[in-house]
Amino acid sequence: MAKSGKRKRAGIESPTSDCLLICDDVLISSKNKHFLQGIVGAIVVRKLPVIIGGLVAYVRLSNVYPAQKVALAFERASTDEEMFRFEADLPQQSDPTGVYTIVLPISPFEVRESGKYIFSAKHNGIPFAQSPILIQGPEVQE
């Protein structure tokens, strides 16, 4: 005979995201509106290695259950090497029908190779949102 009752959902379902970006800055107005400045899709640098910094992570989440954790990671696509990673605890009183926003400054980090990088939001190590970023260095001269 099957058990009746509700299954505990916290930690089972991943959050979802309709916006996962890296920006130059995020301004928050007195009316709590967010203004994203300089959305990053590509970064062109004069030399490698290079220190990239002064950026902001912006993430909008829903389907958030109480006490869930998410990780934000920036990785080289070809090798999965992490350039940075943040762990974020979501509110204890989260409501899956609500919308939660993370605005997080990104400390300067080093990039040694040009190529495609992936900014990901992960739950239990599994990406649920990704944003590609191209880092383009100087052309190789022979």
Side-chain angles (χ1 to χ4, degrees):
M1 180 172 204
K3 290 184 179 181
S4 63
K6 292 187 176 183
R7 178 172 52 150
K8 190 174 181 180
R9 299 181 68 114
I12 294 173
E13 293 183 27
S14 288
T16 58
S17 176
D18 62 354
C19 186
L20 173 72
L21 298 169
I22 294 178
C23 306
D24 287 330
D25 202 1
V26 177
L27 303 176
I28 302 173
S29 75
S30 60
K31 295 181 181 181
N32 206 28
K33 291 185 180 184
H34 299 153
F35 296 91
L36 309 182
Q37 295 186 328
I39 296 171
V40 176
I43 300 171
V44 178
V45 298
R46 292 179 186 244
K47 64 181 179 89
L48 291 165
V50 65
I51 302 295
I52 296 174
L55 300 173
V56 179
Y58 183 83
V59 188
R60 285 176 39 98
L61 301 165
S62 54
N63 197 42
V64 174
Y65 287 86
Q68 279 185 316
K69 293 183 181 204
V70 297
L72 303 177
F74 189 77
E75 303 165 318
R76 182 158 171 77
S78 62
T79 63
D80 294 333
E81 174 190 5
E82 283 188 355
M83 305 295 108
F84 66 79
R85 177 185 190 86
F86 300 106
E87 301 284 332
D89 292 322
L90 299 171
Q92 283 286 5
Q93 292 75 28
S94 299
D95 174 4
T97 61
V99 175
Y100 300 88
T101 304
I102 298 172
V103 177
L104 194 68
I106 299 171
S107 297
F109 60 96
E110 183 178 54
V111 173
R112 295 189 164 278
E113 297 178 51
S114 59
K116 186 190 284 186
Y117 289 77
I118 305 292
F119 181 47
S120 300
K122 300 179 180 184
H123 178 254
N124 290 333
I126 300 170
F128 62 89
Q130 295 182 316
S131 182
I133 309 284
L134 177 65
I135 297 180
Q136 186 174 343
E139 295 294 321
V140 177
Q141 307 266 331
E142 290 189 30

